[in-house]
Each structure stands twice: as C-alpha cells, then as structure tokens.
C-alpha cells in the first residue's frame, strides 16, 4: 500500500487489509510505504490512528518508510492511492517496474476509472473518516477477489 508520506492513507490501507486478511484466514504479509521520505520513522498521523482505533484496528505500531524498488520483488501486488503515487512508484522502481503488479486502490471498486483516495493531510477529521470508508470498501473487494485462492 503506497501513498506519498506513508502517514495518512497507506497506514490505514495496511491496517485495514491486514486485519481483513487475518479475519479471512489468509496468510498475507501487508506493508505500506511512501514515495517520499519526509516522514521516515514516524508513526501514522494521529487522526489516521484515531479513525482506525474507532474501527477496531490498531495502527499505532507502524513506522513510516520509503518505497524502494526491491518492494517489487518482495510483494505480489502494489496498490497506490493516486496517479501521482503511480508515477512516482514507476520512477523509483526503475528496471523492476512491472505494470501488471501495480494499480490504483480504488480501481478495485471502480475498475479502470483511476479515481484517487484523496489526501486528508491538509484537512480535518471528517476527511480521515471518508478515506477510511473508501479504503475499507476497496479492501473488501480485494479479499473477495482472492478469498477462494489457495495460498
Ligand atoms: P499521505 O499524506 O500521503 O496520505 O501520508 C501526506 C502526508 C504528508 C505529506 C503529504 C501527504 N507531506 O507533504 O508531508
């Protein structure tokens, strides 16, 4: 799960998908990263933590890190929050780039529409709740898609 700062959107996406995968009995390893390094080592934004906690998910132990090209070898699939993340991931990954392993997260709900999970960084708490709902729905779709796959 990749966004810009790895403190608002992608930590929620990591927490939500990991939680749903555990609930579904899927042994997935879910991580998140940012295309920028500004917040490396920081915990998620306090409002991302708050909204997650209100929904029964603890993301407080996460620590921000930057996306690296080796993530293409480590992970089967990479979800980005918006098209600028998509372009940054393509740039960072260099020769490891594989367009079949990357998509915008909301394309799981609205296929091919390339809709963005809006960045709540500059806004107030309602924006974080809105983002939680979008990511939650997209993660339900991901789980449904793979629920019958043996891993
Ligand atoms: P995120 O939000 O990409 O959802 O983690 C942001 C967090 C920090 C900044 C930008 C976006 N920033 O410019 O520091």
């Amino acid at each position: 799960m990749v966004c810009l700062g790895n403190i608002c959107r992608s930590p929620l996406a990591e927490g939500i998908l990991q939680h749903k995968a555990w609930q579904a009995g899927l042994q997935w390893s879910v991580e998140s990263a940012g295309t920028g390094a500004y917040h490396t080592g920081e915990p998620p934004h306090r409002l991302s933590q708050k909204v997650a906690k209100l929904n029964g998910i603890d993301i407080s132990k996460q620590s921000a890190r930057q996306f690296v090209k080796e993530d293409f070898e480590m992970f089967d699939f990479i979800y980005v929050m918006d098209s600028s993340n998509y372009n940054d991931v393509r740039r960072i990954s260099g020769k490891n780039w594989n367009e079949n392993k990357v998509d915008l997260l909301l394309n799981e709900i609205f296929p091919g529409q390339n809709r963005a999970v809006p960045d709540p960084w500059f806004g107030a708490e309602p924006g974080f709740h809105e983002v939680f709902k979008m990511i939650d729905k997209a993660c339900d779709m991901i789980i449904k898609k793979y629920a019958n796959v043996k891993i």
Side-chain angles (χ1 to χ4, degrees):
M1 295 297 192
V2 177
C3 63
L4 173 58
N6 193 209
I7 52 166
C8 297
R9 294 166 292 176
S10 61
L12 279 173
E14 174 187 333
I16 293 168
L17 187 61
Q18 186 71 77
H19 184 77
K20 289 182 190 294
W22 281 329
Q23 283 184 326
L26 297 163
Q27 311 282 308
W28 288 357
S29 172
V30 183
E31 285 193 18
S32 63
T35 57
Y38 333 98
H39 296 280
T40 298
E42 291 179 24
H45 191 287
R46 70 172 180 86
L47 290 173
S48 288
Q49 290 195 44
K50 179 179 175 181
V51 170
K53 199 170 176 188
L54 285 170
N55 287 279
I57 299 172
D58 178 10
I59 62 169
S60 66
K61 307 292 186 301
Q62 291 185 31
S63 171
R65 72 163 172 93
Q66 190 171 19
F67 179 82
V68 291
K69 62 177 182 303
E70 290 75 21
D71 284 322
F72 262 95
E73 291 153 0
M74 292 293 295
F75 295 94
D76 297 320
F77 207 83
I78 292 159
Y79 286 104
V80 297
M81 302 298 130
D82 61 36
S83 54
S84 117
N85 305 150
Y86 187 94
N87 291 332
D88 287 339
V89 162
R90 183 165 48 195
R91 176 179 52 77
I92 294 167
S93 59
K95 64 175 174 35
N96 281 8
W97 171 254
N98 175 353
E99 71 170 24
N100 299 318
K101 285 177 79 164
V102 189
D103 203 1
L104 275 77
L105 179 62
L106 292 192
N107 278 344
E108 291 293 343
I109 312 174
F110 309 105
Q113 293 189 23
N114 294 337
R115 293 198 197 187
V117 178
D119 193 344
W121 170 251
F122 295 105
E125 184 167 336
F128 285 79
H129 288 276
E130 201 50 46
V131 160
F132 184 96
K133 276 190 236 159
M134 291 177 179
I135 295 174
D136 189 63
K137 201 168 168 196
C139 289
D140 278 340
M141 303 295 281
I142 296 170
I143 295 289
K144 259 190 221 153
K145 191 156 125 181
Y146 294 103
N148 296 321
V149 176
K150 278 212 179 86
I151 52 173

